[in-house]
């Protein structure tokens, strides 16, 4: 931060009254008003804003080493996860740093702050005029979209030079809530097709339902949760809600072949009464179909306050709650290049914190294939998505049936997000697999399109095409995207946890070291290798719309492939000789 901050500090003097010794934070964070949002003027001086200060943590190197030992099945420390209290002791900011930040806040008249168990976030409420004095350069404006509005600063912000070393970033200034339009690819086109052909075609076409998934992934009627004290979760960040009545109707229509629950047990955060969202319905209905008969939570973080960042809110809840579900499915992402480096790196530490606690966090790999971005010079490069590109989450890509009328072979779903991070370097656990791919792929895109030394994703995949969903009491076909495959995999992980916990073993936690070690440990058939098809990318002369292609073993389109549940359970579940608890 230092060098960049200093260079920018000069520019700041021109705009801020207190240019004395302020350093810009997140100077590389682009401010872009997303399509559909319009500027609605500067907020009054007394308008209340709520800012989230990410305080600099300590012990990151130790955290990194700890995760290696607790997540590697070959390590004697495997499964020795930390409690939230133990995690706090490892990473909490130094008392001196906290005192300095608190003194700075108080001296600016900020009194209303809340902390979290790990003490590495502070959430403070103050008048806009106070926030503008506190963070020289910031200027709070309102932006509206339909009935929603957010308060953000179009201008960069700084903090005093002596405070800068204690703060990673301040949330609630630049980033807009991410839109999630990852569902129902070609929705309009397919809907038209559906309308035209009505029942006739639908009767023949094989849509994906829970029983199709359970059949394809070889799950039997016995493969349901048995333990009361095990749970799974999905997280929602839009003002989007699921309805319990939809879940019940979905299970009535599609759940006859397996024991399941018909309602969500716990909603953390606001659960509004508006129309149900398709995405929210999809997540809940499918995590409860593979993770059948397992208690399900929904984290609903639409952002209660206009100046909050909903995704950040979810991370704060995790850092402030000691007992949360072991498995989290999240279908959310932004282009890596639309986020500041400080933000992306800090969020990665948040995923490390989850890993240290034994939580499995799964992210959808995105629905734009390798993505595409025009560089300032005019050339294209691929565009990785974050958090999919974090080395501390498990990223799920998408497949479709090769023959849509047969529940057999899967091929690449051409939208399946995948590629190489430009921020994170390749973690050890995947180096051999990814090098093997790079060495043996018959054709690769030009080197200028991707960072071959970066964290490569996805890690695995599942069907992502043509799901049936019940939303607002209406069964809808053709719902597609990696936001379908992610809860499907999450439910299976929760089921393996169920079997482990019953035998007194630790849950799986951060899955990737175990996942990338499956073949080495002789579990080749735990994952069905998807070897056909390519995903989409830039429409230009050099790559002609083609990104990477699936191939044998790991690839940046479908990862290792899709789960073969009984073999995966054998590989990652309790050994046959483990005693029943
Ligand atoms: C964290 O939890 C504590 C105890 O429940 C609460 O007082 C505090 O306000 C919470 N922090 C945030 C940021 O919500
Ligand atoms: C479903 O889960 C409950 C505990 O939550 C358990 O008592 C019950 O036996 C399970 N049902 C089946 C069929 O395993
Ligand atoms: C249930 O799980 C939570 C943590 O997820 C734990 O704190 C609690 O002790 C467990 N309860 C039982 C009865 O095992
Ligand atoms: C664009 O790509 C071409 C061909 O690879 C290369 O010669 C050129 O230097 C690139 N331009 C810029 C601005 O990077
Ligand atoms: C399910 O089992 C059958 C044979 O038992 C096997 O051929 C098939 O590959 C398995 N499914 C997957 C997805 O691996």
């Amino acid at each position: 931060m230092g060098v960049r901050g200093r260079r920018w500090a000069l520019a700041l003097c021109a705009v801020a009254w207190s240019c004395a010794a302020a350093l810009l934070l997140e100077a590389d964070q682009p401010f872009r008003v997303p399509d559909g949002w319009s500027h609605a003027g500067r907020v009054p001086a007394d308008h209340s804003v709520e800012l989230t200060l990410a305080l600099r943590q300590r012990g990151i190197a130790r955290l990194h080493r700890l995760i290696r030992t607790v997540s590697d099945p070959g390590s004697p420390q495997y499964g020795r996860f930390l409690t939230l209290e133990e995690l706090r002791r490892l990473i909490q900011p130094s008392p001196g740093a906290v005192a300095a930040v608190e003194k700075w806040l108080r001296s600016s008249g900020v009194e209303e702050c809340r902390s979290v168990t790990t003490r590495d976030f502070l959430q403070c409420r103050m008048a806009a005029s106070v926030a503008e004095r506190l963070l020289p350069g910031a200027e709070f404006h309102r932006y509206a979209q339909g009935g929603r509005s957010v308060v953000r600063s179009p201008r960069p912000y700084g903090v005093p030079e002596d405070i800068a070393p204690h703060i990673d970033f301040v949330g609630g200034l630049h980033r807009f809530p991410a839109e999630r339009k990852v569902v129902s690819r070609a929705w309009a086109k397919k809907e038209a097709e559906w309308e035209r052909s009505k029942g006739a075609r639908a009767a023949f076409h094989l849509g994906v339902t829970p029983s199709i998934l359970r059949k394809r992934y070889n799950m039997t009627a016995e493969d349901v949760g048995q333990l009361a004290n095990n749970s799974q979760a999905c997280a929602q960040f839009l003002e989007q809600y699921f309805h319990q009545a939809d879940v019940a109707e979905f299970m009535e229509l599609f759940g006859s072949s397996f024991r399941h629950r018909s309602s969500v047990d716990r909603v953390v955060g606001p659960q509004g009464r508006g129309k149900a969202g398709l995405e929210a319905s999809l997540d809940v209905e499918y995590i409860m179909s593979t993770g059948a008969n397992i208690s399900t939570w929904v984290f609903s973080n639409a952002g209660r306050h206009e100046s909050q960042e909903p995704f950040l809110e979810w991370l704060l809840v995790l850092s402030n709650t000691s007992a949360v579900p072991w498995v989290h499915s999240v279908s959310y992402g932004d282009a890596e290049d639309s986020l500041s480096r400080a933000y992306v790196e800090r969020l990665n530490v948040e995923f490390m914190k989850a890993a240290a606690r034994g939580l499995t966090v799964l992210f959808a790999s995105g629905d734009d294939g390798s993505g595409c971005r025009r560089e300032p010079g005019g050339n294209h490069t691929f565009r990785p998505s974050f958090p999919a590109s974090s080395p501390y989450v498990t990223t799920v890509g998408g497949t479709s049936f090769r023959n849509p009328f047969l529940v057999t072979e899967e091929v690449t779903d051409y939208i399946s997000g995948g590629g190489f991070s430009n921020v994170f370097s390749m973690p050890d656990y995947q180096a051999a697999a990814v090098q093997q791919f790079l060495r043996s792929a018959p054709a690769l895109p030009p080197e200028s399109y991707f960072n071959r030394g970066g964290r490569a994703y996805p890690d695995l995949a599942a069907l992502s095409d043509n799901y049936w969903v019940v939303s607002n009491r209406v069964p809808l076909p053709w719902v597609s995207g990696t936001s379908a495959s992610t809860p499907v995999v999450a439910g299976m992980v929760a089921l393996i946890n169920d079997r482990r916990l019953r035998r007194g073993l630790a849950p799986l936690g951060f899955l990737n070291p175990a996942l990338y070690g499956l073949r080495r440990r002789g579990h080749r058939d735990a994952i069905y290798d998807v070897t056909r098809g390519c995903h989409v990318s830039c429409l230009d002369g050099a790559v002609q719309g083609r990104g990477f292609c699936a191939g044998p073993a790991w690839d940046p389109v479908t990862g290792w492939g899709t789960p073969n549940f009984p073999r995966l359970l054998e590989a990652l579940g309790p050994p046959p000789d483990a005693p029943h608890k």
Side-chain angles (χ1 to χ4, degrees):
M1 185 94 308
V3 171
R4 188 186 287 127
R6 267 164 222 286
R7 189 156 53 77
W8 280 85
L10 296 170
L12 189 62
C13 284
V15 298
W17 63 272
S18 94
C19 71
L23 282 185
L24 283 197
L25 295 186
E26 296 190 271
D28 58 336
Q29 173 65 55
F31 182 82
R32 204 181 71 80
V33 179
D35 294 342
W37 291 84
S38 55
H39 181 228
R42 196 163 170 181
V43 301
D46 62 353
H47 185 82
S48 159
V49 297
E50 186 158 83
L51 300 177
T52 304
L53 282 68
L55 307 184
R56 179 89 29 100
Q57 297 140 324
R58 296 182 299 173
I60 306 300
R62 273 167 66 203
L63 182 62
H64 183 87
R65 287 194 299 273
L66 180 125
I67 294 166
R68 264 172 103 135
T69 62
V70 299
S71 316
D72 176 356
S75 149
Q77 311 296 318
Y78 184 53
R80 303 250 183 103
F81 301 122
L82 302 187
T83 63
L84 190 57
E85 252 324 288
E86 289 165 342
L87 179 63
R88 171 182 69 74
R89 273 180 250 135
L90 181 63
I91 54 105
Q92 67 183 339
S94 76
V98 175
V101 170
E102 284 176 346
K103 180 162 168 252
W104 164 62
L105 291 168
R106 267 197 313 276
S107 70
S108 313
V110 180
E111 302 285 351
E112 247 190 284
C113 293
R114 289 172 300 150
S115 185
V116 294
T117 307
T118 44
R119 313 227 175 119
D120 47 0
F121 284 109
L122 271 180
Q123 201 163 52
C124 305
R125 193 179 275 252
M126 66 201 83
S129 57
V130 173
E132 288 175 3
R133 261 200 322 275
L134 189 71
L135 306 171
E139 201 179 274
F140 290 89
H141 292 250
R142 176 176 278 115
Y143 298 86
Q145 183 215 46
R148 293 203 276 172
S149 76
V150 300
V151 168
R152 293 292 187 266
S153 168
R155 309 236 303 243
Y157 67 97
V159 297
E161 202 162 22
D162 57 330
I163 294 298
H166 307 316
I167 297 192
D168 287 328
F169 69 86
V170 181
L173 281 113
H174 296 329
R175 285 166 294 271
F176 280 70
E179 296 302 326
R180 183 178 159 196
K181 41 179 193 286
V182 286
V183 158
S184 63
R185 151 166 52 100
W187 172 261
K189 194 179 118 238
K190 283 183 170 168
E191 201 168 34
E193 201 179 292
W194 163 250
E195 283 301 323
R196 262 201 316 278
S197 57
K198 279 289 182 241
R201 256 183 78 94
F204 292 109
H205 191 279
L206 193 77
V208 174
T209 62
S211 47
I212 297 273
L213 286 165
R214 294 181 67 91
K215 178 171 174 209
R216 171 59 189 155
Y217 298 131
N218 291 343
M219 300 178 82
T220 67
E222 276 76 56
D223 294 322
V224 300
Q226 296 168 345
L227 199 66
N229 196 21
N230 178 36
S231 51
Q232 57 192 3
C234 28
Q236 307 288 340
F237 309 109
L238 289 178
E239 285 160 55
Q240 262 234 354
Y241 308 103
F242 76 96
H243 290 174
Q244 297 281 20
D246 288 341
V247 180
E249 182 174 326
F250 177 85
M251 288 302 177
E252 205 162 292
L253 282 173
F254 300 116
S256 59
S257 65
F258 56 98
R259 177 63 192 248
H260 55 77
R261 299 192 179 204
S262 296
S263 64
V264 167
D265 284 330
R266 188 146 167 203
V267 179
V268 181
Q271 165 68 350
R273 279 191 302 274
K275 261 180 69 136
L278 192 58
E279 292 85 350
S281 311
L282 173 69
D283 286 357
V284 170
E285 287 164 7
Y286 282 92
I287 199 171
M288 292 175 70
S289 297
T290 48
N293 198 36
I294 295 176
S295 176
T296 302
W297 296 25
V298 171
F299 287 88
S300 169
N301 285 280
R304 282 156 293 162
H305 200 274
E306 290 179 306
S307 44
Q308 287 177 342
E309 295 184 35
F311 188 67
L312 213 46
E313 290 299 299
W314 172 65
L315 291 170
L316 261 73
V317 171
L318 291 188
S319 285
N320 208 25
T321 316
S322 57
V324 292
W326 293 115
V327 177
H328 298 262
S329 170
V330 195
S331 303
Y332 159 98
D334 265 320
E336 232 181 26
D337 59 80
S338 73
L339 303 166
S340 75
R341 189 145 189 138
Y343 175 84
V344 163
E345 284 178 352
R346 171 57 187 259
L347 260 55
N348 192 50
V349 176
E350 296 306 305
F351 302 132
M352 291 171 73
K353 284 163 61 183
R357 299 168 71 184
L359 310 184
T360 307
V361 181
L362 299 123
F363 274 89
S365 71
D367 293 351
D368 298 317
S370 66
C372 187
R373 186 166 78 98
R374 188 183 285 277
E375 303 230 276
N379 285 352
H380 285 149
T381 63
F382 294 157
R383 188 171 208 192
S385 159
F386 179 82
S389 70
S390 162
Y392 286 100
V393 304
T394 297
T395 305
V396 184
T399 62
S400 47
F401 284 123
R402 183 165 180 216
N403 177 338
F405 304 100
L406 293 177
V407 186
T408 56
E409 193 187 346
E410 285 164 74
V411 297
T412 294
D413 184 349
Y414 64 91
I415 53 101
S416 180
F420 294 74
S421 174
N422 290 317
V423 175
F424 299 106
S425 53
M426 191 181 296
D428 293 347
Y429 64 73
Q430 69 170 191
V434 180
Q435 298 304 348
Q436 174 64 29
F437 168 81
L438 290 171
R439 266 197 313 271
S440 61
L444 283 174
E447 296 270 318
S448 60
Y449 280 72
F450 69 102
N451 169 25
R452 59 186 292 150
R455 144 64 159 151
Y457 68 94
D459 300 303
L460 78 173
L463 286 163
S464 59
D465 194 19
N466 281 341
Y467 277 59
W468 281 92
V469 173
V470 173
S471 197
N472 300 299
R473 310 302 295 272
V474 182
L476 298 164
W478 309 121
V479 178
S480 300
T482 53
S483 44
S485 50
T486 308
V488 164
V489 172
M492 294 190 212
V493 175
L495 203 47
I496 298 175
N497 276 346
D498 178 285
R499 298 299 190 263
R500 293 180 59 90
L501 294 165
R502 276 180 69 219
R503 305 284 191 92
L505 299 175
L508 290 168
F510 176 47
L511 202 56
N512 293 6
L515 191 63
Y516 283 78
L518 283 174
R519 283 201 176 204
R520 204 172 52 240
R521 296 199 316 279
H523 300 289
R524 175 176 280 270
D525 58 358
I527 303 274
Y528 170 81
D529 193 1
V530 177
T531 59
R532 284 168 192 266
C534 307
H535 64 187
V536 293
S537 76
C538 303
L539 286 168
D540 63 24
V543 292
Q544 302 187 0
R546 174 189 284 202
F548 297 98
C549 298
W554 183 92
D555 56 68
V557 188
T558 59
W560 285 102
T562 64
N564 181 11
F565 184 75
R567 298 285 97 81
L568 194 62
L569 178 62
E570 247 171 59
L572 301 177
D577 53 356
H580 271 276
K581 229 180 130 185

